[in-house]
Amino acid sequence: GFQDCQAFVDRGRLQLHFLLWDSVPCEFVTDGNPRVIYDNGAILSNVYAKPDNGKLDVYVWWNDVPFEEYGVSLQIFDAEGNRLVQDDFVVIEGLHHSEIDWDGMPTGDYDVQMILYNLGDISSIGGQLYPDVVHFDRSFSVGTIAVHSE
């Protein structure tokens, strides 16, 4: 089924709403999440990361994916910059959902980085992060995780 997430046009008798699959959180379209235009022309229209009960749900929407094959690496780093967890997948146009298990990580704050790379030569692809219009060469942060002891 679908859920009504937000009216983005409401002009009396004319109303347009964002409808999403029930399995995708409404925050994916309502929270002003970042958009990326990559140097190779690929467009990441939206990315949303939500920590929940020892796992991280990451939703991405790709447009204009170039002909070459690309992969995405989602990586979780600790405060010292050590990579603790990594999840990679092949880019396909449209919606993709990844679930990263981080249960059992020590107490602390963690940064989740996203990298787009060419599957042929493993080279990273830079891009422009919007709405801030910031260029990055390799990766950008899609969110943070705070792990607390029980």
Side-chain angles (χ1 to χ4, degrees):
F2 292 90
Q3 59 184 318
D4 185 348
C5 290
Q6 178 182 23
F8 62 96
V9 173
D10 188 356
R11 296 187 184 138
R13 292 178 37 194
L14 172 65
Q15 293 187 355
L16 299 175
H17 291 253
F18 277 116
L19 297 178
L20 279 180
W21 298 275
D22 288 334
S23 61
V24 179
C26 283
E27 293 85 358
F28 183 63
V29 294
T30 61
D31 276 5
N33 302 309
R35 172 185 162 113
V36 178
I37 299 177
Y38 284 92
D39 295 342
N40 66 353
I43 297 174
L44 176 61
S45 294
N46 207 345
V47 58
Y48 175 70
K50 176 184 178 187
D52 186 34
N53 293 326
K55 63 182 172 58
L56 179 69
D57 285 315
V58 179
Y59 298 86
V60 295
W61 188 277
W62 292 96
N63 290 334
D64 297 332
V65 178
F67 180 73
E68 298 91 2
E69 289 192 335
Y70 289 90
V72 168
S73 184
L74 295 168
Q75 302 179 359
I76 300 177
F77 292 88
D78 65 15
E80 289 77 41
N82 300 307
R83 182 179 61 214
L84 302 178
V85 178
Q86 178 174 337
D87 181 51
D88 287 38
F89 59 88
V90 175
V91 174
I92 57 170
E93 197 151 315
L95 179 66
H96 178 85
H97 170 240
S98 279
E99 186 176 281
I100 303 170
D101 182 16
W102 52 270
D103 195 29
M105 287 179 24
T107 299
D109 295 325
Y110 299 90
D111 185 37
V112 182
Q113 293 282 318
M114 182 172 176
I115 300 169
L116 177 68
Y117 61 93
N118 184 300
L119 288 174
D121 63 12
I122 315 298
S123 61
S124 300
I125 311 298
Q128 294 275 16
L129 184 62
Y130 294 88
D132 300 330
V133 193
V134 174
H135 187 271
F136 61 91
D137 292 323
R138 178 174 163 74
S139 67
F140 69 96
S141 178
V142 297
T144 57
I145 301 170
V147 176
H148 305 286
S149 59
E150 306 258 339

